[in-house]
Amino acid sequence: MKPVRLAAVALTTAALLLPLSAAPAAAGPHSGHQAAPHSNARFDRLRWAAPDDFLIGTAVAGGGHHLEQDYPDPFTSDRKYRRILAQQFSSVSPENQMKWEYIHPEQDRYDFGMADAIVDFAERNGQAVRGHTLLWHSQNPAWLEEGDFSEEELRAILHDHITTVVGRYAGRIQQWDVANEIFDDQGNLRTEDNIWIRELGPDVIADAFRWAHEADPEAELFFNDYNVEGINAKSDAYYDLIQDLLAQGVPVHGFSTQGHLSTRYGFPGDLEDNLRRFDELGLATAVTELDVRMDLPESGEPTEAQLEQQADYYQQALEACLAVEGCDSFTIWGFTDKYSWVPVFFEGEGSATVMTEDFVRKPAFHALRDTLKDARHERNPWGPWSPW
């Protein structure tokens, strides 16, 4: 039986409270993704263009690698960024501000300042929140990774963290990435680099879901990973594990693919089939961290052909999610190149988001908007907020 899906529907009314000031003007080449002739400014925004039961989200830039960049914290310092964040999206995911190293910097101290600010912002703007993440092998604080803890102490630390963080936002965060990237690309558990699995064994995964569910029984709890867009050894490992956990009564509610794609490689054409097989297990599915990076020319500016290929990847990913009944949450990993993580981690690659550093919309933005409009019209052609 699929979990009851209330968060997306509840947001529809909340979204009506937003001011309808004009969105940033479209600019740049966008052949093949022209606005519909009968659309209006309201539906020029992604969140308004989307079907009522569909969340369109973005990561909220801040924390993590941004602390090392030569600009102030994006979320707190950039008013235009926040305005677009509120106007365009019905869901937000803290990019780094809820990861262990940021929210739990010392063993006996939590830092909820930025996480609180994001959740407050989302509530003011009628947005859902995806919590990210509770159990991961990366971005853990030194006190945890380098500490000399017994198994009993580690279990207590993880239990306290999940209970404290999830419990703090109970009823305010709709979805949590409970276990993030627990398999390698060959479908093997990360028994070496994941401190929790290495020290406590695989059963700790089920415990993490149970503890999160106890802290907030209403939140949807997800497995989340990259390179699981298609049907492969890694996604097969999740498929098998989730079936085992469900058989044990573990409260696993969803499976999500991150979607960090590159135009170096072909689009994963079996994305829809992969999401559907998890949907048929009774799970929610989602795309949670989509971006499409590319190899930039010497000029540093992508060509029109590259932008069109990127737009095609974004559109195909969205269409795959929309085609699966239980996939009603679609998140891009940042909306502007100004704060993208990609150039920091992939030398020579970039331009991975749907807007330039100056917030100019790329063809990828128009591809998402038009695809959402089409889906809205198909699902509710004569509804009160139909753009047609």
Side-chain angles (χ1 to χ4, degrees):
M1 181 178 178
K2 293 182 180 179
V4 178
R5 316 302 302 282
L6 297 177
V9 177
L11 287 172
T12 305
T13 301
L16 301 180
L17 301 177
L18 286 174
L20 297 180
S21 56
H30 49 86
S31 59
H33 302 293
Q34 301 290 340
H38 300 295
S39 64
N40 56 40
R42 188 172 295 165
F43 291 94
D44 199 36
R45 300 177 184 177
L46 299 177
R47 64 183 298 171
W48 285 91
D52 287 345
D53 58 351
F54 192 83
L55 295 172
I56 180 74
T58 183
V60 178
H65 76 272
H66 294 285
L67 297 176
E68 301 171 2
Q69 302 305 300
D70 59 352
Y71 48 72
D73 176 74
F75 178 68
T76 57
S77 65
D78 192 331
R79 294 182 62 185
K80 184 173 184 179
Y81 173 86
R82 290 196 306 274
R83 176 166 56 83
I84 297 173
L85 178 67
Q87 288 176 338
Q88 292 292 341
F89 301 98
S90 55
S91 175
V92 294
S93 301
E95 182 181 12
N96 291 291
Q97 299 94 328
M98 287 185 181
K99 292 174 180 174
W100 270 76
E101 66 177 1
Y102 201 96
I103 206 170
H104 200 165
E106 299 175 17
Q107 183 174 354
D108 299 321
R109 182 173 70 88
Y110 290 87
D111 184 352
F112 292 110
M114 284 299 297
D116 284 353
I118 292 169
V119 175
D120 291 344
F121 176 91
E123 289 181 341
R124 288 196 304 272
N125 291 285
Q127 296 168 312
V129 182
R130 296 197 81 257
H132 179 77
T133 177
L134 300 174
L135 186 153
W136 192 25
H137 68 275
S138 183
Q139 289 187 247
N140 290 322
W143 69 260
L144 175 65
E145 291 286 352
E146 300 171 8
D148 183 19
F149 301 109
S150 67
E151 289 185 21
E152 183 178 354
E153 289 170 330
L154 271 180
R155 281 183 60 83
I157 289 170
L158 181 60
H159 180 265
D160 178 78
H161 180 92
I162 292 175
T163 301
T164 300
V165 176
V166 177
R168 182 180 183 87
Y169 301 107
R172 305 180 71 195
I173 289 184
Q174 287 73 21
Q175 298 178 340
W176 276 100
D177 291 331
V178 174
N180 193 52
E181 301 174 7
I182 62 169
F183 288 105
D184 64 23
D185 285 344
Q186 289 70 49
N188 302 310
L189 280 173
R190 293 180 180 270
T191 54
E192 294 300 321
D193 53 357
N194 187 307
I195 185 174
W196 310 112
I197 299 173
R198 182 182 69 239
E199 302 299 331
L200 303 178
D203 288 345
V204 73
I205 299 166
D207 289 335
F209 278 87
R210 293 189 183 102
W211 295 335
H213 185 63
E214 290 170 0
D216 185 359
E218 300 303 317
E220 289 185 324
L221 308 180
F222 278 72
F223 281 101
N224 187 58
D225 213 326
Y226 65 93
N227 287 351
V228 291
E229 290 75 32
I231 298 174
N232 53 35
K234 195 174 189 179
S235 61
D236 283 347
Y238 279 104
Y239 189 73
D240 293 340
L241 173 62
I242 289 172
Q243 289 184 87
D244 289 342
L245 294 176
L246 292 175
Q248 299 172 41
V250 178
V252 178
H253 305 135
F255 169 81
S256 55
T257 176
Q258 295 176 9
H260 294 296
L261 305 180
S262 171
T263 57
R264 288 183 180 181
Y265 315 106
F267 182 85
D270 52 352
L271 172 58
E272 179 183 332
D273 291 338
N274 190 40
L275 292 174
R276 181 168 285 109
R277 66 172 176 161
F278 286 94
D279 176 77
E280 290 172 351
L281 294 178
L283 298 178
T285 57
V287 176
T288 55
E289 303 182 22
L290 182 66
D291 49 30
V292 183
R293 63 188 185 273
M294 61 183 75
D295 293 289
L296 295 174
E298 290 186 8
S299 66
E301 298 294 327
T303 66
E304 185 170 341
Q306 285 180 308
L307 290 172
E308 288 299 328
Q309 183 182 10
Q310 179 187 59
D312 179 65
Y313 279 32
Y314 271 97
Q315 180 172 348
Q316 288 191 69
L318 178 55
E319 287 175 342
C321 180
L322 287 164
V324 177
E325 181 182 358
C327 188
D328 57 15
S329 179
F330 185 91
T331 299
I332 59 178
W333 208 236
F335 60 87
T336 171
D337 293 339
K338 185 176 183 179
Y339 302 126
S340 174
W341 74 294
V342 168
V344 180
F345 291 90
F346 297 91
E347 185 176 356
E349 295 182 83
S351 194
T353 74
V354 300
M355 295 185 188
T356 68
E357 293 189 1
D358 297 325
F359 301 103
V360 175
R361 299 170 180 180
K362 301 180 192 175
F365 176 92
H366 300 286
L368 292 181
R369 182 201 60 198
D370 294 349
T371 302
L372 290 169
K373 282 184 179 180
D374 290 343
R376 185 182 186 90
H377 179 59
E378 290 172 5
R379 296 184 185 187
N380 189 22
W382 308 113
W385 294 108
S386 172
W388 308 107

